[in-house]
Amino acid sequence: MAQESPRNSAAEIPVTSNGEVDDTHEHGFNRDLKRSLPSGLGLSETQITSHGFDGTKEGVIEAGAYQGSPEPPLPSVMSPSRVAASRLAPQGSDLIVPAGGQKTQTKSGPVILADEIKNPAMEKLELVRKWSLNTYKCTRQIISEKLGRGSRTVDLELEAQIDILRDNKKKYENILRLAQTLSTQLFQMVHTQRQLGDAFADLSLKSLELHEEFGYNADTQKLLAKNGETLLGAINFFIASVNTLVNKTIEDTLMTVKQYETARIEYDAYRTDLEELNLGPRDANTLPKIEQSQHLFQAHKEKYDKMRNDVSIKLKFLEENKVKVLHNQLVLFHNAIAAYFAGNQKQLEQTLKQFHIKLKTPGVDAPSWLEEQ
């Protein structure tokens, strides 16, 4: 046993034992294991202890520092036996060599990847699925209500206020159309009176015999045209205020009413769905569906209550704003019409000053921002 490997003649390994070793197979394994050790570990001393199967035989192989010649050793070829390879193979599966060069043994096991990044396509598909299901239930509820088979939630007081608002909107739109027609016709009349006044003034200069008569008519027509422009300014201000009330303020409230009606349909649809599930059997398959339906019903009930509260508040503020706006505009319209047909020019001008209405002089452009400064 003094010469262990014929492949490496530069290294001699003395072997000592505590007893006679009869198991040559174990010594063969030790030799193969020694050959399989890498030469780059830089170990000064290595001990390999081998226990026999019977537990009474023990061998120790001690390896000292390298005492070979200064010539570079030949590259070693590692060819462990099948026994060494079979014993070392399970250990190599869990070895991880970091950047420092030391081998670290880790535990092998299943790798779990955290699902932190969501798939946008799956999210969009889920949104489409929810939207389709909600649309189907709402459509079924609407058809059931129109056929008289389904029940609907009704707030009698709120529904009455909404009906009155829609009816008033139609009447205000009719007033708005008539006022716009009056404004158009008055504008044409004022334009005609102005042209007629210019024609009378021209004839008064060219006809010496009828100079005074043409002059009186020219002054009268110009005065009527001036008063008509003042009345036209008051009517246009009335039209602008009513248009804002009808097409902005009331329309905004009706948009909230539409959202309230949509929330009511969704609430009734999920309420009907929950009632149908409660009437059916209760088992392991239906209980999760009932719980999910109860959760969706509660969410839509909260949305319905919120929208109903919003509509009530908007209707209250709309009524207050409508009374205030229409009161001022109706007073303006009455005073301007009465002063115009009474021929009271001062009263007509005073009415416009009362409501802070500024008339735009025909043929004069608006001042620039620099002139206003």
Side-chain angles (χ1 to χ4, degrees):
M1 298 297 291
Q3 186 176 358
E4 290 291 331
S5 175
R7 298 182 182 179
N8 192 355
S9 60
E12 295 181 1
I13 302 176
V15 179
T16 60
S17 63
N18 295 328
E20 295 182 356
V21 180
D22 295 334
D23 193 356
T24 60
H25 179 71
E26 289 292 326
H27 284 288
F29 166 72
N30 291 333
R31 286 196 302 271
D32 293 338
L33 182 60
K34 182 64 179 67
R35 292 172 184 173
S36 64
L37 289 176
S39 60
L41 294 178
L43 300 177
S44 61
E45 183 177 357
T46 303
Q47 291 186 356
I48 301 176
T49 304
S50 174
H51 297 276
F53 292 100
D54 53 358
T56 59
K57 298 178 181 181
E58 180 179 1
V60 179
I61 302 175
E62 297 181 357
Y66 176 69
Q67 302 295 335
S69 61
E71 298 179 358
L74 296 175
S76 59
V77 180
M78 293 182 294
S79 58
S81 64
R82 295 181 179 178
V83 178
S86 62
R87 296 187 181 184
L88 290 176
Q91 300 177 0
S93 61
D94 294 335
L95 292 178
I96 298 177
V97 180
Q102 296 180 356
K103 294 185 178 181
T104 307
Q105 185 173 2
T106 60
K107 296 181 179 181
S108 61
V111 179
I112 301 176
L113 298 177
D115 189 11
E116 297 179 356
I117 302 177
K118 297 182 179 180
N119 191 352
M122 296 301 296
E123 291 182 356
K124 292 182 180 180
L125 186 61
E126 182 66 18
L127 291 176
V128 171
R129 188 189 69 83
K130 291 181 179 180
W131 175 83
S132 302
L133 183 61
N134 184 73
T135 304
Y136 164 73
K137 291 185 177 181
C138 293
T139 305
R140 184 183 62 178
Q141 178 66 25
I142 293 173
I143 295 174
S144 299
E145 291 178 2
K146 290 185 176 181
L147 295 177
R149 298 177 182 177
S151 60
R152 55 170 296 182
T153 304
V154 179
D155 190 337
L156 297 178
E157 182 179 359
L158 188 61
E159 292 290 339
Q161 295 178 3
I162 293 174
D163 292 339
I164 292 174
L165 176 62
R166 286 173 173 164
D167 185 60
N168 288 338
K169 184 175 182 292
K170 294 180 180 179
K171 294 178 179 180
Y172 295 155
E173 288 175 346
N174 185 37
I175 292 176
L176 188 60
R177 285 192 298 268
L178 295 175
Q180 290 173 348
T181 303
L182 177 62
S183 175
T184 302
Q185 295 174 352
L186 182 61
F187 175 78
Q188 294 176 354
M189 185 182 71
V190 169
H191 181 67
T192 304
Q193 288 174 344
R194 189 182 299 111
Q195 289 179 344
L196 189 59
D198 294 339
F200 284 147
D202 183 63
L203 289 173
S204 67
L205 297 176
K206 295 180 180 180
S207 300
L208 297 178
E209 298 82 2
L210 301 174
H211 172 71
E212 293 183 359
E213 288 78 1
F214 280 123
Y216 294 152
N217 283 277
D219 293 340
T220 302
Q221 294 299 324
K222 289 180 180 179
L223 180 60
L224 289 175
K226 182 180 179 181
N227 292 340
E229 291 174 356
T230 306
L231 177 63
L232 189 62
I235 294 177
N236 289 336
F237 186 78
F238 172 82
I239 291 173
S241 300
V242 175
N243 181 65
T244 302
L245 176 66
V246 173
N247 295 324
K248 291 185 178 180
T249 308
I250 296 180
E251 187 65 27
D252 178 70
T253 305
L254 290 178
M255 288 296 296
T256 307
V257 170
K258 291 180 181 179
Q259 296 176 1
Y260 158 74
E261 292 176 347
T262 302
R264 197 273 308 166
I265 293 174
E266 292 178 352
Y267 165 71
D268 285 338
Y270 284 91
R271 175 182 57 82
T272 303
D273 192 16
L274 180 61
E275 291 176 355
E276 291 177 355
L277 289 175
N278 288 329
L279 293 177
R282 292 177 174 268
D283 52 17
N285 294 329
T286 58
L287 284 178
K289 295 181 180 179
I290 294 176
E291 293 179 358
Q292 183 181 7
S293 179
Q294 179 69 31
H295 176 72
L296 294 174
F297 165 75
Q298 188 65 29
H300 285 85
K301 183 177 183 300
E302 294 176 357
K303 181 181 178 181
Y304 167 72
D305 293 337
K306 179 180 179 300
M307 294 306 304
R308 181 175 59 182
N309 187 34
D310 292 345
V311 170
S312 300
I313 294 175
K314 281 200 171 185
L315 287 174
K316 180 180 178 181
F317 283 108
L318 175 63
E319 186 66 24
E320 296 176 358
N321 188 29
K322 180 190 70 174
V323 171
K324 182 179 178 180
V325 170
L326 288 181
H327 171 75
N328 295 331
Q329 296 306 315
L330 290 174
V331 170
L332 166 66
F333 191 82
H334 172 267
N335 293 341
I337 293 291
Y340 173 78
F341 285 99
N344 192 345
Q345 182 180 359
K346 292 183 179 180
Q347 181 64 30
L348 185 59
E349 293 177 352
Q350 185 64 31
T351 301
L352 267 66
K353 290 180 180 179
Q354 179 183 355
F355 292 93
H356 307 285
I357 302 174
K358 295 182 180 180
L359 296 178
K360 181 179 178 181
T361 305
V364 178
D365 296 334
S368 63
W369 64 272
L370 186 59
E371 294 176 348
E372 292 178 354
Q373 295 295 331

